[in-house]
Amino acid sequence: MIGAGIVGVTTAFELSRDGHEVTVFERHASVAAETSFANAGVLAPGYVTPWAAPGMPGKVLAGLLRRHSAVRFGAGTAAAAPWLWRFLRACRKPAYLANRTRMQRLAQFSREQMDALTAELQLQFEQSRGYTVLLRTPADLARAHGGIGLLRDLGVAFELIDAARCRVVEPGLSSDAQLHAAIHLAHDGVGNCRQFAHLMKAHAIALGAQFRFGHSMQRITPGTQPAVESLASNDTPKQPRSETFDAVVVCAGQASKPALAALGIKLPLLPVYGYSVTAPLRHVEALPDFGPKSGLMDERYKVAISRLGQRVRVAGSAEIGGRPGVMRPGAIGTLYKVLDDWFPGCADMRRAQVWQGARPMLPDGPPVIGPSGAAGVWLNLGHGSSGWTLACGSARVLADQLGGRAAAIDISGFGLERLR
């Protein structure tokens, strides 16, 4: 297996539980070291949706004129032009509806899998139930009507609530903030993705899985016994090592792209950068409801606010053409603004941690799960901003496919053929 983010580590666990001998190659020193490290923590199967949606191109263009925008463009945007063209085509309503239905089907299954694992393994990690989508104005509510109708059509449990009811659900919301209505999904919530990944790694190891940290993949050679050529960071001299396996599962997100391209598998994966700010919650004796109770989404700015134990995390932005390590002050400023709008003063920002991560996104939304077309090589990647929500379900689907069993859900539309 290649990659030990949240998708990779859950896949390693499921394969180990099925009795496979699993070796995981990871270029970093631990699991969940990149996109899974400090993501929003949102576990919202009921609200998972493709970024490519009707009206999104107009919102993207309009956002270019605003100081606080959900979508931003960096210096490398020109190189993303082929991806953007495919994204625009996926925004057409028939494609969007098909892709959202696929993603929600997988998301609901994934939540069932996560709940079952949490109970069976008695997993203890920061989590809370409840997810509230905040709609600032009547215009925001009008724009959300299409998504609300789709929630009904898909049988997702939710409530459309007014501002007064919303402040009962989340009593810490600022009374000064403009709030018209909200979509409340009581069964969704938030959880600490990185903590969960470390717990799953421990259980995978207990089942016999081996994790080789500090090993970067150099090459995959397909065949009846495919080979992985890896390079260990602590080896001197630097000499790649090749090992053969019965199958290779690639879960390394954006880092998978060069090795797959060498096999003729040209996935339209794009790193879309997001940001988060995490800070300890202030303790105010007279205000027991200071700060968020669970998870919220500011629909206008596409920014999530999550309660993770005694910390608050605010996360968002979608930067196309960005670069790793190059922080956009405007994007981070939007996160601070949204948190201050809804929960002013709730966190100790002197101790805030700012993070940037690249989401490996396909232009139409759903991930690719299943055989790659190259002998012995399997794929479980391209989850974009929904990797945490989709991880447990994706892992089980991949394990069933590799084991020659029928998946528990309809997996049409998740194969590589969708992108051809």
Side-chain angles (χ1 to χ4, degrees), residues 249-271:
V249 182
V250 183
C251 303
Q254 200 66 34
S256 311
K257 198 171 178 180
L260 293 177
L263 301 179
I265 306 165
K266 297 182 179 179
L267 283 176
L269 272 175
L270 184 74

Side-chain angles (χ1 to χ4, degrees), residues 10-22 113 116-117 120-121 200 203-204 207-209 392 396 399 405:
T10 50
T11 303
F13 170 81
E14 293 292 350
L15 290 171
S16 298
R17 185 156 71 162
D18 282 358
H20 298 284
E21 295 181 9
V22 176
Q113 290 294 111
L117 286 173
E120 175 190 343
L121 304 176
M200 296 310 296
H203 283 284
L207 292 170
C392 291
R396 189 62 253 163
R405 296 180 298 274

Side-chain angles (χ1 to χ4, degrees), residues 124-128 190-193 195 307-311:
Q124 299 291 326
F125 62 102
E126 296 168 339
Q127 60 174 322
S128 55
V190 294
N192 191 315
C193 178
Q195 286 181 356
R307 172 72 175 260
L308 297 173
Q310 294 306 308
R311 297 172 299 153

Side-chain angles (χ1 to χ4, degrees), residues 29-183:
S30 71
V31 300
E34 290 192 43
T35 309
S36 306
F37 184 81
N39 59 26
V42 173
L43 290 166
Y47 212 71
V48 69
T49 182
W51 193 43
M56 181 57 78
K59 293 178 184 178
V60 170
L61 293 175
L64 295 175
L65 306 175
R66 300 192 187 109
R67 177 185 173 190
H68 296 292
S69 174
V71 183
R72 298 173 184 272
F73 293 92
T77 300
W83 187 94
L84 286 167
W85 172 246
R86 296 185 70 154
F87 163 77
L88 289 172
R89 295 185 65 188
C91 287
R92 293 177 297 185
K93 189 173 181 179
Y96 163 74
L97 292 175
N99 288 321
R100 180 163 183 172
T101 301
R102 289 166 183 149
M103 292 180 73
Q104 291 210 321
R105 183 167 64 240
L106 178 59
Q108 295 292 346
F109 175 62
S110 191
R111 179 170 66 188
E112 293 166 7
Q113 290 294 111
M114 175 177 282
D115 288 347
L117 286 173
T118 300
E120 175 190 343
L121 304 176
Q122 299 183 343
L123 303 178
Q124 299 291 326
F125 62 102
E126 296 168 339
Q127 60 174 322
S128 55
R129 287 287 192 190
Y131 186 63
T132 306
V133 181
L134 303 169
L135 304 167
R136 292 173 178 255
T137 65
D140 289 338
L141 175 58
R143 283 189 288 268
H145 274 314
I148 292 170
L150 190 57
L151 289 176
R152 289 195 182 100
D153 293 343
L154 294 171
V156 175
F158 74 97
E159 286 184 275
L160 182 60
I161 58 178
D162 61 16
R165 171 64 180 153
C166 186
R167 288 192 164 92
V168 173
V169 172
E170 281 286 350
L173 283 168
S174 171
S175 58
D176 296 328
Q178 183 184 28
L179 177 61
H180 176 67
I183 303 165

Side-chain angles (χ1 to χ4, degrees), residues 129-416:
R129 287 287 192 190
Y131 186 63
T132 306
V133 181
L134 303 169
L135 304 167
R136 292 173 178 255
T137 65
D140 289 338
L141 175 58
R143 283 189 288 268
H145 274 314
I148 292 170
L150 190 57
L151 289 176
R152 289 195 182 100
D153 293 343
L154 294 171
V156 175
F158 74 97
E159 286 184 275
L160 182 60
I161 58 178
D162 61 16
R165 171 64 180 153
C166 186
R167 288 192 164 92
V168 173
V169 172
E170 281 286 350
L173 283 168
S174 171
S175 58
D176 296 328
Q178 183 184 28
L179 177 61
H180 176 67
I183 303 165
H184 181 59
L185 300 104
H187 302 296
D188 290 357
V190 294
N192 191 315
C193 178
R194 186 164 177 263
Q195 286 181 356
F196 187 87
H198 278 276
L199 292 170
M200 296 310 296
K201 179 199 78 170
H203 283 284
I205 289 173
L207 292 170
Q210 297 182 38
F211 285 79
R212 296 189 184 172
F213 295 110
H215 282 68
S216 58
M217 172 183 59
Q218 304 296 300
R219 182 184 306 166
I220 300 172
T221 303
T224 53
Q225 284 205 304
V228 173
E229 188 176 287
S230 66
L231 186 64
S233 58
N234 57 359
D235 273 0
T236 305
K238 298 297 183 184
Q239 187 65 41
R241 180 189 312 169
S242 183
E243 298 174 69
T244 60
F245 301 91
D246 293 327
V248 175
V249 182
V250 183
C251 303
Q254 200 66 34
S256 311
K257 198 171 178 180
L260 293 177
L263 301 179
I265 306 165
K266 297 182 179 179
L267 283 176
L269 272 175
L270 184 74
V272 177
Y273 288 88
Y275 298 85
S276 72
V277 177
T278 309
L281 282 163
R282 295 184 188 275
H283 177 69
V284 180
E285 196 71 38
L287 297 172
D289 293 319
F290 206 40
K293 288 178 64 178
S294 185
L296 307 98
M297 168 66 74
D298 186 312
E299 182 68 5
R300 179 178 297 180
Y301 297 106
K302 301 295 185 184
V303 169
I305 303 171
S306 304
R307 172 72 175 260
L308 297 173
Q310 294 306 308
R311 297 172 299 153
V312 63
R313 178 171 294 161
V314 53
S317 188
E319 183 184 353
I320 296 170
R323 288 181 294 170
V326 179
M327 299 281 193
R328 293 287 293 270
I332 297 168
T334 298
L335 302 185
Y336 281 112
K337 168 194 162 43
V338 170
L339 183 61
D340 192 58
D341 282 353
W342 297 111
F343 299 99
C346 77
D348 183 358
M349 287 305 175
R350 297 170 301 175
R351 297 160 62 192
Q353 296 178 319
V354 180
W355 172 84
Q356 176 206 48
R359 311 176 189 105
M361 293 188 74
L362 293 165
D364 59 351
V368 171
I369 309 170
S372 70
V377 181
W378 298 74
L379 306 177
N380 190 4
L381 44 73
H383 297 71
S385 58
S386 301
W388 178 209
T389 299
L390 302 177
C392 291
S394 299
R396 189 62 253 163
V397 166
L398 188 284
D400 285 338
Q401 287 183 294
L402 197 148
R405 296 180 298 274
I409 61 169
D410 176 5
I411 57 172
S412 58
F414 290 103
L416 195 59

